[in-house]
């Protein structure tokens, strides 16, 4: 049931004008962790950060089986495919297992040795089939299914998850299984421009498909770390060409990540501490306005339109 702005659904036959329900934002991320953790932080502090007018923010984590699809041109069709399930509200056993593996990755619960994400998915599905859960069958009692998953994780991988984490796991899964209504809700994908993996022609194709499917495209050029850097005044002290080039300064680190660590040495891409950024969102939105924010320009220019998304979500 959708919540109306006044909290009361109109009575059948009532002549009162119907008020549109609160919008729900579905956010899908190309990145595995950083972007998700940032927006999870926003979702967790939704009201205190000024997003209380929203019905909800639903974070669509990329399924582990599709993690190799790091190119937005390959990622977007997967989002469209997932939306079909969200429209009907009917989800398969395989879908919930994919989300479970996503959660394990997000929380760093994946076994350190001898287990790839794909292999874990295959083994979990095989064990659930032995419990008479067909991968393609619709979920009828997913509380029971999530408990089965937890039991198999302990038996197969000796993964022992705290009671608090189990509650988080159940909450995470419940957040995934909501109904998408294209009349009211909005789908946004958040990607990096990264010209090394996202060519100019692919950019044009993705933008055209987003316009056709009424999906909102949000990106940072060169990458999401630029949006994070916008939270701090130092962004105005750095050379724009250096930021756009975002060259490698070591085997595992590029220029923008290094600059973020100069501001906050504890910054880690794969374990984002949202508290470092929460109090500076307004600054980031303001700082973004001094750089390119339009999709036509973001193809080649330094900038981001994440701030425009957050401003829109606040005003919804």
């Amino acid at each position: 049931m959708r919540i109306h702005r006044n909290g009361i659904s109109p009575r059948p036959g009532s002549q009162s004008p119907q008020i549109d329900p609160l919008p729900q934002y579905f956010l899908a991320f190309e990145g595995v962790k950083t972007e998700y953790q940032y927006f999870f932080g926003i979702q967790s502090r939704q009201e205190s950060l000024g997003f209380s007018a929203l019905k909800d923010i639903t974070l669509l984590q990329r399924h582990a089986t599709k993690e190799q699809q790091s190119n937005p041109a390959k990622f977007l069709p997967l989002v469209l495919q997932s939306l079909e399930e969200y429209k009907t509200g009917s989800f398969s056993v395989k879908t919930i297992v994919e989300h479970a593996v996503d959660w394990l990755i997000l929380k760093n619960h994946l076994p350190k040795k001898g287990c790839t994400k794909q292999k874990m998915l295959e083994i979990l599905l095989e064990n659930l089939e032995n419990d008479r859960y067909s991968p393609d069958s619709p979920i009828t009692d997913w509380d029971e299914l999530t408990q089965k998953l937890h039991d198999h994780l302990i038996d197969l991988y000796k993964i022992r998850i705290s009671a608090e984490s189990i509650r988080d796991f159940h909450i995470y899964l419940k957040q995934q299984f909501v109904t998408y209504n294209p009349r009211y809700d909005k789908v946004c994908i958040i990607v990096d421009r990264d010209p090394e993996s996202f060519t100019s022609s692919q950019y044009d194709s993705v933008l055209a498909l987003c316009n056709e499917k009424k999906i909102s495209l949000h990106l940072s050029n060169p990458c999401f770390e630029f949006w994070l850097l916008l939270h701090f005044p130092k962004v105005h002290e750095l050379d724009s060409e250096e930021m756009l080039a975002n060259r490698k300064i070591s085997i595992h680190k590029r220029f923008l990540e290094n600059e973020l660590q100069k501001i906050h040495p504890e910054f880690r891409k794969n374990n984002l501490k949202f508290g470092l950024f929460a109090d500076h969102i307004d600054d980031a939105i303001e700082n973004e306005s001094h750089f390119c924010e339009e999709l036509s320009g973001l193809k080649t220019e330094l900038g981001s339109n994440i701030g425009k998304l957050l401003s829109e979500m606040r005003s919804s």
Side-chain angles (χ1 to χ4, degrees):
M1 178 178 177
R2 291 187 163 267
I3 301 172
H4 289 258
R5 292 189 189 276
N6 59 2
I8 303 172
S9 299
R11 292 178 297 172
S14 170
Q15 298 302 311
S16 301
Q18 186 163 339
I19 302 173
D20 286 342
L22 293 172
Q24 179 162 259
Y25 277 75
F26 287 75
L27 308 182
F29 309 96
E30 176 196 11
V32 178
K33 287 189 175 181
T34 311
E35 294 91 330
Y36 183 92
Q37 290 172 341
Y38 180 88
F39 280 93
F40 183 81
I42 288 179
Q43 184 186 50
S44 301
R45 307 185 189 190
Q46 192 169 325
E47 189 166 341
S48 65
L49 291 174
F51 296 91
S52 55
L54 287 169
K55 175 179 180 284
D56 204 356
I57 304 171
T58 298
L59 310 177
L60 309 181
Q61 176 77 332
R62 181 173 60 191
H63 292 333
T65 50
K66 300 157 185 173
E67 189 176 350
Q68 70 275 17
Q69 308 288 2
S70 60
N71 183 304
K74 298 176 182 178
F75 172 60
L76 179 55
L78 299 176
V79 174
L80 295 171
Q81 180 181 336
S82 296
L83 282 176
E84 291 305 310
E85 283 189 306
Y86 282 89
K87 285 180 182 178
T88 63
S90 177
F91 300 91
S92 67
V93 169
K94 183 179 180 181
T95 295
I96 198 173
V97 176
E98 287 175 332
H99 281 298
V101 177
D102 279 342
W103 183 84
L104 290 168
I105 296 167
L106 185 68
K107 296 296 183 179
N108 296 313
H109 286 312
L110 210 63
K112 299 294 183 185
K113 296 180 180 179
C115 180
T116 65
K117 302 165 192 122
Q118 179 65 30
K119 189 66 176 176
M120 174 177 272
L121 176 67
E122 292 171 357
I123 291 174
L124 286 173
L125 286 172
E126 181 181 332
N127 277 268
L128 286 170
E129 276 200 276
N130 293 335
D131 294 331
R132 299 182 180 179
Y133 287 99
S134 171
D136 296 322
S137 62
I139 299 166
T140 55
D141 185 343
W142 69 270
D143 280 330
E144 178 182 293
L145 178 58
T146 54
Q147 186 59 53
K148 286 280 187 184
L149 274 171
H150 178 246
D151 293 343
H152 285 311
L153 288 171
I154 292 175
D155 293 341
L156 294 167
Y157 301 106
K158 311 305 178 189
I159 297 176
R160 297 202 172 271
I161 303 172
S162 68
E164 182 179 357
S165 291
I166 292 173
R167 286 194 297 272
D168 288 345
F169 178 51
H170 282 230
I171 291 170
Y172 170 81
L173 289 173
K174 284 182 179 179
Q175 288 172 342
Q176 304 305 310
F177 301 109
V178 294
T179 303
Y180 163 64
N181 186 330
R183 181 179 175 186
Y184 304 112
D185 299 331
K186 186 163 186 177
V187 179
C188 307
I189 65 169
I190 290 117
V191 301
D192 293 342
R193 173 63 186 96
D194 190 7
E196 292 183 9
S197 63
F198 189 21
T199 67
S200 177
S201 61
Q202 287 174 332
Y203 185 96
D204 294 337
S205 297
V206 167
L207 182 55
L209 185 56
C210 283
N211 289 334
E212 177 189 340
K213 300 296 184 180
K214 294 181 170 53
I215 289 177
S216 184
L217 176 62
H218 294 274
L219 58 84
S220 301
N221 190 3
C223 59
F224 192 73
E225 283 77 16
F226 177 70
W227 163 251
L228 296 179
L229 193 59
L230 285 168
H231 290 67
F232 309 106
K234 187 175 182 180
V235 71
H236 297 296
E237 302 171 11
L238 299 173
D239 182 78
S240 293
E241 290 186 6
E242 276 198 290
M243 288 191 285
L244 183 60
N246 196 30
R247 71 187 188 284
K248 274 191 173 183
I249 61 170
S250 68
I251 296 176
H252 300 295
K253 192 181 297 184
R254 289 184 178 270
F255 178 79
L256 291 175
E257 181 182 356
N258 189 58
E259 292 301 322
L260 282 165
Q261 287 185 339
K262 287 180 182 178
I263 299 169
H264 286 292
E266 63 269 45
F267 170 76
R268 297 291 183 275
K269 285 178 61 174
N270 292 334
N271 188 18
L272 186 75
K273 295 181 179 179
F274 179 69
L276 300 177
F277 304 93
D279 294 335
H280 306 286
I281 291 177
D282 289 337
D283 296 328
I285 293 171
E286 167 60 26
N287 288 335
E288 181 185 276
S289 67
H290 296 279
F291 297 89
C292 181
E293 293 183 290
E294 302 305 321
L295 287 170
S296 57
L298 285 170
K299 182 178 180 179
T300 57
E301 297 176 38
L302 178 70
S304 177
N305 64 350
I306 304 293
K308 292 179 73 173
L309 170 61
L310 297 185
S311 295
E312 177 189 313
M313 290 167 69
R314 277 178 166 172
S315 62
S316 293

